Amino acid sequence: MVLHPKAKVRVAGQEVTFCCKASGTPVPKKYYWYHNGTLLERKVHGYSSRLALKGLALEQAGIYHCKASSEAGAIKSAPAQLTVLAQGQQSCKSEPEPSLVELPSECPQDATGSRYYNVGRCPPAPCASSVGGRSECGADAGRCCGVRRMELRDIPCAGSSLPIKVVAECGCGPCAQPRVLVQGRVTAADTGEPLRFGQIFLGGRKVGFTGYKGSFTIEVPPDTQRLVARFVDRQQRFVDAIKVLPFNRRGGAVYQEVKMLRKKEPVELDGSRVNAIPLGEDSGREPVGELLLPAGAFLRPSGEVFNGTVKASVTFLDPRDMATASAASSDLSFADADGDIVPLRTYGMFAVEFREQGSGAALQTGPVQVRMDAGQVWMPEHLQKMKLWSLNPETGLWEEEGILQPAEGSRRKREERTFLVGNLEIRERRLFNLDVPEDRRCFVKVRAYSNEKFNPYEQLEGVVISLVNLEPQPGYPTNPRAWGRFDSVVTGPNGACLPAFCDGQRADAYSAYVTATLGGEELEAVASSPKLNPNAIGVSQPYLGKLGYRRSDHDDPDLKKTAFQINVAKPDPNNVDETNGPVYPYRSLQECEQAPVSANHLRFYRVEVDKYEYNVVPFRESDLTSWTGDYLSWWPNPQEFRACFIKVQIEGPQEYMVRSRNVGGSHPRTRGQLYGLRDTRSVRDMLLENTSGACVEFKCSGMLFDQSLVDRTLVSIVPQGSCHRSAVNGLLRDYLSRHPPVADNNHTAAFSMLAPVDPLGHNYGIYTVTDQNPRLAKEIAIGRCFDGTSDGFSREMKAAAGTAVTFTCQERPPGRESFFQRLLTAPAEA
C-alpha cells in the first residue's frame, strides 16, 4: 500500500474524499472500502481507489479503510478516522485543558506544599476543514487546535516572584509540521564494529550512507506507515540488514541501534555432486536443518548449468541463541489472504550466496531441498503449519515460498529423526525463513514516565519500547529455549501497545522480554525484588502474580535494571481481575490504545538524579506539537533544537546542586526577562579526591522565534553551598572579552556570561549540539560534556577535562546561609 487514507474532520453536510493506492505485480485493480469494518456497496458509492462521500451525516463518522487485491494477493490500508461535527459544534474548545508543570522548590503553591501549577494546554486535535466544496486526495491544508493567546503571570516565591506564561485561549490554526526522523547507528552484531559508509535504501531508492562511526539519519517520507530501510555493506562482509524502523508520527527523531549479521566464511563445493549444508550447527546444538543441493543445481544467470567449484556462504540466524534477536531482519510479518499484516514465529533465518571460484560471478540454483528437523519444533501444532518464506527487501514483508511437509520414503543414515521438507529455487539474493503463522496474539500496554513518581501528566512520548517474544522451557520461565519474534513501538501521549504471542491455557507458554530507550538512553524498569509492589509496577494483584513480573536484576543485583520479563497470560474474559489490562486480546487493540492511565499497565521511567528544569513558556520536549512561538521560548525553532551546556568543576567534600539562571541579555524584547532555570547536581569524579563535575544546561544565544534579531542570553551559574569561584577557562575568558558586552562578575560565588553565539567546544568548556529532537540533542551534549571532548561520549564524569569554570566549596558553619540560599530568601540584598 503506497497511499493510505488520511484522517479528516468535517461538518455535517460537507463532503469528504478518501484515497488509497496499492502497487504490485500485476498492478492491483480491485479496491474495496470499509466503514467500521463493514464493506460499503460499490453500486451505492461508485468508488474505485477513491471514495467520495457527499452530504455527510453524523452517523457516517467512524473508521474507514480500503483493501486492494489482485490474483497475487491482497493488502489493507491503515485506518483513517472521519469526525463529523454537528452544525455549530466546535472541534477546538477555547478553554484550555489542564496541564501541570513543576515549579522550583522555593515556590510552593498551597498549604500542602504542592509545587505544581496549571499552565493549560491545547490538545493538537484536527479542526474541521474550512473548505466546503470538493476535497481532493491530500488537499487538506491541515488545521489543528492550538494556542491562540497566552498570559504572563507572576508566582510568589521565597523573597521574589517567578514569571510564567499560561495558555489563556485555544483556537484553530495551521497544524505544526515538525520533521519526522529516524537516527541511529549501524554496527556488527558480533564485534560492535561500525558499518562505515554503508548504503541506505528506502524501497528500491538509495537515500544516503552511514557515517564513519556507523551513524545515520533518515527523514521519514510523508504518508509513511511502515518505514522499511535496507542497510548494505559495500564490502560484502555483512548480510544486508532490512529493518522496519519505528518512528514518531508527531515529529522529532527516534534513535535506533541497528545490528548487522556477519556473513559466514564460504566453503568450497563441487557443483557436479550432491551437497548438504547444515543450518544452525555453530551454537553447539543439533542443526535446525540442512540445505540439500542435488548435482547440477548451480546455474549461471543465462540458465547454463555450472559444475565447477562453488564458493558457498550460508549464514544462519539461530533463534535458540538469545543474542541473535537484535540482528534479525524485518519485523517477522506477512500479508495474509485478507490483506491483514499478521505475525510469524521464526525457527531460523538463512542468507545464501553462491559464487564461481576464480571469477567470483554470482550463481543461482534450480530446485533445492530445505530439510528441517521436526525434533526442533517444540510446539506440536506448529508441525502442521511450518512454511518456507523469503523476505521482500522493499516491503519488509515475508512472502511464502512453499510448505514444509513430512519427508516420505526411507531415511538417510544416522537419521532416526523426522524431517520436514520443502523445495526452493534461489534466483535472487534474499533472506529465507522457517516460520509458522501464530494466531495466539495479544497486546501489552506499556507507558514511560519522566521520573519515579509516575504522574500521569509526566509521561514521555517518543520512547522506543521493544518486546522480544520468548519461548520458555516448561517449568523454567526465566530460562527461555528460543526467541520467536520481536516488535518495537514508539510511545504516544497514551503510552504504547505492543503485539505479543500469548496463551490462554498455559500462562507461561510464552513470555516477553521488554526494554525501553529514549535517544539511545535506556530507561529503568520498576523493581521486582525484594518484594513486588503492585502500585509501583502498575498492575494489581492477582493478575500481577499470574504474569510473573521480574526485572532483569531480580536474581543478580549487579545486572542492569533496564528490562523486565513477564508471562504473556491471555486475559480470561470471565475473570474481572483480568479485564483491565495490561494484556489485551488481539481484537481489543482500540481498547488498549484508549485505556485510561488508571488502567493496569507496565512502566519504565527515566532516572533523573537531582535534575530540574523550568521554562517560563511551558514546553513538553517529548511532544513537539506543544511548542509555542514566543519571545521567551527556551527553544526558538521547532524544526531544529540547539542544546548548550557548560561544564563546572567543583572542588569540595560532597556533591553540590548547581543552578543556571537564564535571562534575556541583548534583545530589546527580552532584556532582563527570565527564559528559565536549570538545576543539576554535580557528579563525583571517581579518580579525583574531593572533586565533582556538573554539566549544566543554559539557553543558547541566537535568533529568537521571529528569526529577526540575535539575543545573547545572560547566564548566571550559581552552586548551592559555601562556594567561591576559583578559576575560569582562559580561552573562554578571552573569547568573552573579545565579544562584548562582558557580563558583570563582581560576586565570587557565581559566574556570569553573555552566552557565546558560536558553538565553541570542549577547549572552552562549552558543549553545543543541534538536532531535530531536543532530548537527543541534550543527551549527546551531556555525553560529550561528561567525557570532556567535542566528539566523545561518556557516562562517567571526568571533572577536570574540558571545564569552563571551577568553584571551591567548603562546609559552612552551622546557621550561616550560603549565597544560593540568600538568593532565594533575600535576592535584592544578595
Side-chain angles (χ1 to χ4, degrees):
M1 189 65 67
V2 294
L3 177 65
H4 297 262
K6 297 181 177 67
K8 303 283 177 76
V9 180
R10 294 290 186 271
V11 176
Q14 288 185 328
E15 62 182 66
V16 71
T17 301
F18 289 113
C19 303
C20 74
K21 184 181 179 183
S23 64
T25 307
V27 176
K29 294 288 180 63
K30 292 183 179 178
Y31 287 88
Y32 306 88
W33 284 93
Y34 297 79
H35 175 219
N36 292 335
T38 301
L39 178 65
L40 297 174
E41 290 188 40
R42 192 186 305 272
K43 290 181 180 178
V44 174
H45 296 281
Y47 57 71
S48 56
S49 62
R50 176 178 296 188
L51 172 67
L53 303 173
K54 298 182 179 181
L56 284 170
L58 296 177
E59 58 270 18
Q60 288 179 282
I63 302 293
Y64 288 82
H65 77 269
C66 81
K67 181 174 81 171
S69 70
S70 72
E71 53 265 45
I75 192 75
K76 286 181 181 176
S77 74
Q81 174 79 43
L82 174 63
T83 303
V84 181
L85 305 173
Q87 293 287 342
Q89 181 183 352
Q90 294 297 316
S91 56
C92 177
K93 295 180 180 177
S94 60
E95 186 177 342
E97 292 182 350
S99 179
L100 302 180
V101 297
E102 186 178 5
L103 300 175
S105 56
E106 64 270 22
C107 303
Q109 281 309 291
D110 55 35
T112 66
S114 170
R115 289 162 43 202
Y116 288 93
Y117 193 85
N118 181 15
V119 296
R121 68 182 286 268
C122 301
C127 290
S129 168
S130 58
V131 181
R134 182 171 175 76
S135 175
E136 295 293 338
C137 302
D140 284 19
R143 288 168 54 78
C144 295
C145 191
V147 175
R148 178 166 286 174
R149 184 169 57 87
M150 299 190 82
E151 289 178 356
L152 182 65
R153 296 179 186 171
D154 284 317
I155 295 172
C157 297
S160 64
S161 64
L162 183 76
I164 190 167
K165 288 215 166 185
V166 301
V167 178
E169 183 183 1
C170 300
C172 288
C175 294
Q177 299 291 339
R179 295 170 68 194
V180 180
L181 301 172
V182 174
Q183 297 176 323
R185 200 164 58 109
V186 188
T187 55
D190 53 355
T191 64
E193 163 194 0
L195 176 68
R196 294 192 169 111
F197 311 118
Q199 296 173 312
I200 306 172
F201 293 84
L202 293 185
R205 183 170 58 93
K206 186 164 71 176
V207 296
F209 297 88
T210 59
Y212 181 76
K213 294 188 176 182
S215 58
F216 68 90
T217 298
I218 298 172
E219 184 155 3
V220 181
D223 200 41
T224 299
Q225 296 293 326
R226 269 170 69 86
L227 181 65
V228 181
R230 178 162 57 104
F231 299 90
V232 178
D233 175 24
R234 294 191 292 177
Q235 298 178 34
Q236 295 298 307
R237 297 163 301 162
F238 302 105
V239 177
D240 292 359
I242 298 164
K243 296 290 185 178
V244 180
L245 299 173
F247 59 93
N248 187 355
R249 301 178 196 282
R250 293 160 67 87
V254 167
Y255 187 87
Q256 278 290 106
E257 288 279 356
V258 175
K259 302 295 183 183
M260 293 192 81
L261 198 62
R262 192 178 300 275
K263 287 182 179 178
K264 192 170 181 183
E265 285 297 316
V267 296
E268 293 185 1
L269 304 178
D270 184 345
S272 63
R273 296 188 174 187
V274 175
N275 292 283
I277 302 174
L279 301 174
E281 84 287 4
D282 287 348
S283 55
R285 304 178 178 91
E286 284 287 326
V288 170
E290 64 184 5
L291 199 59
L292 195 63
L293 300 111
F298 296 104
L299 306 172
R300 288 181 166 136
S302 64
E304 176 191 353
V305 174
F306 178 78
N307 284 320
T309 302
V310 177
K311 301 276 278 187
S313 171
V314 177
T315 307
F316 186 75
L317 188 141
D318 193 339
R320 297 174 298 180
D321 179 357
M322 299 305 300
T324 62
S326 62
S329 274
S330 168
D331 59 354
L332 287 166
S333 299
F334 75 104
D336 67 9
D338 290 327
D340 289 308
I341 294 179
V342 291
L344 293 167
R345 186 261 187 251
T346 187
Y347 280 89
M349 306 178 191
F350 59 97
V352 298
E353 188 173 281
F354 301 125
R355 295 188 179 274
E356 296 181 26
Q357 188 179 41
S359 71
L363 293 169
Q364 302 174 350
T365 75
V368 300
Q369 271 193 355
V370 178
R371 294 162 54 85
M372 182 178 180
D373 181 0
Q376 299 294 332
V377 183
W378 303 296
M379 292 189 172
E381 63 270 24
H382 286 177
L383 289 169
Q384 315 302 320
K385 302 190 289 184
M386 191 69 63
K387 294 181 179 181
L388 187 61
W389 309 78
S390 69
L391 181 60
N392 184 321
E394 295 192 9
T395 64
L397 294 173
W398 294 89
E399 298 172 350
E400 187 178 328
E401 291 282 343
I403 298 172
L404 293 175
Q405 296 177 324
E408 297 177 359
S410 61
R411 295 171 179 166
R412 293 159 52 198
K413 60 183 178 182
R414 84 167 251 268
E415 287 178 6
E416 322 57 62
R417 299 175 294 168
T418 302
F419 278 85
L420 301 175
V421 178
N423 293 307
L424 174 70
E425 290 188 20
I426 302 170
R427 297 293 187 185
E428 57 182 320
R429 196 171 70 188
R430 277 199 176 194
L431 192 64
F432 299 97
N433 202 350
L434 304 165
D435 273 31
V436 292
E438 178 59 275
D439 52 12
R440 292 176 293 181
R441 296 173 280 160
C442 291
F443 284 99
V444 178
K445 184 66 177 238
V446 181
R447 298 178 189 269
Y449 293 85
S450 60
N451 54 54
E452 227 176 332
K453 298 173 186 173
F454 304 122
N455 289 320
Y457 44 84
E458 292 184 307
Q459 291 188 68
L460 294 174
E461 297 182 43
V463 176
V464 179
I465 311 288
S466 297
L467 183 151
V468 180
N469 286 268
L470 307 177
E471 192 174 289
Q473 302 272 12
Y476 300 94
T478 60
N479 185 23
R481 57 188 170 192
W483 61 269
R485 70 171 279 112
F486 52 87
D487 285 278
S488 294
V489 177
V490 177
T491 57
N494 201 33
C497 293
L498 289 104
F501 296 147
C502 59
D503 194 279
Q505 305 301 315
R506 270 183 40 226
D508 62 351
Y510 280 115
S511 63
Y513 181 84
V514 188
T515 58
T517 60
L518 178 64
E521 170 199 3
E522 294 179 299
L523 273 60
E524 201 160 292
V526 181
S528 58
S529 61
K531 83 178 206 180
L532 288 173
N533 180 349
N535 290 331
I537 294 169
V539 181
S540 57
Q541 293 283 26
Y543 198 18
L544 179 60
K546 188 175 179 180
L547 296 179
Y549 178 92
R550 296 165 68 91
R551 193 168 72 176
S552 44
D553 67 339
H554 185 87
D555 296 317
D556 184 352
D558 292 332
L559 294 178
K560 293 168 80 172
K561 304 172 183 179
T562 53
F564 65 79
Q565 189 170 324
I566 60 167
N567 301 323
V568 192
K570 187 175 182 179
D572 179 356
N574 300 315
N575 185 341
V576 69
D577 293 321
E578 300 180 12
T579 57
N580 194 34
V583 182
Y584 293 82
Y586 198 73
R587 300 289 180 193
S588 302
L589 173 59
Q590 191 170 2
E591 182 185 344
C592 177
E593 290 180 334
Q594 297 176 357
V597 73
S598 57
N600 286 337
H601 60 274
L602 296 154
R603 294 169 171 170
F604 286 93
Y605 63 94
R606 286 190 89 187
V607 181
E608 293 280 16
V609 181
D610 292 328
K611 183 186 285 187
Y612 172 72
E613 299 179 356
Y614 173 77
N615 297 323
V616 170
V617 180
F619 173 59
R620 295 170 60 195
E621 291 174 355
S622 61
D623 177 12
L624 301 190
T625 62
S626 68
W627 181 85
T628 304
D630 192 283
Y631 280 101
L632 294 177
S633 294
W634 184 276
W635 307 98
N637 183 355
Q639 299 285 340
E640 191 173 74
F641 297 89
R642 189 174 176 219
C644 295
F645 284 78
I646 184 170
K647 189 167 185 177
V648 179
Q649 180 179 341
I650 295 186
E651 296 171 348
Q654 60 187 39
E655 296 174 337
Y656 296 84
M657 210 70 173
V658 183
R659 169 171 288 186
S660 78
R661 191 171 192 275
N662 304 265
V663 301
S666 59
H667 196 290
R669 292 288 296 264
T670 63
R671 189 179 294 122
Q673 295 187 61
L674 185 69
Y675 290 115
L677 306 172
R678 296 292 187 266
D679 292 345
T680 305
R681 184 172 293 280
S682 64
V683 177
R684 193 170 298 283
D685 188 320
M686 304 310 291
L687 301 178
L688 298 175
E689 188 177 359
N690 288 337
T691 303
S692 61
C695 294
V696 187
E697 186 185 8
F698 64 89
K699 186 187 181 304
C700 305
S701 293
M703 294 286 189
L704 299 186
F705 91 102
D706 63 359
Q707 301 294 307
S708 66
L709 200 60
V710 167
D711 181 45
R712 288 188 62 190
T713 312
L714 177 58
V715 180
S716 299
I717 304 296
V718 187
Q720 179 178 4
S722 296
C723 305
H724 69 272
R725 188 178 68 249
S726 51
V728 176
N729 182 302
L731 289 175
L732 177 61
R733 185 177 55 239
D734 292 346
Y735 175 92
L736 295 174
S737 64
R738 293 197 316 270
H739 295 80
V742 178
D744 182 3
N745 262 309
N746 289 336
H747 205 294
T748 59
F751 170 72
S752 298
M753 67 174 179
L754 283 158
V757 176
D758 301 310
L760 297 181
H762 69 286
N763 289 329
Y764 299 79
I766 302 292
Y767 301 84
T768 305
V769 173
T770 301
D771 196 272
Q772 283 75 27
N773 184 319
R775 287 192 181 276
L776 193 55
K778 289 160 73 166
E779 287 300 323
I780 295 170
I782 290 170
R784 292 176 182 175
C785 179
F786 267 60
D787 195 51
T789 63
S790 291
D791 57 359
F793 190 90
S794 177
R795 277 288 179 255
E796 293 183 5
M797 175 57 73
K798 302 171 185 176
T803 300
V805 59
T806 302
F807 289 90
T808 301
C809 303
Q810 59 188 17
E811 294 305 300
R812 64 184 176 278
R816 182 179 167 190
E817 285 187 325
S818 70
F819 176 65
F820 186 89
Q821 288 171 324
R822 293 205 306 277
L823 269 178
L824 303 183
T825 56
E829 180 188 333

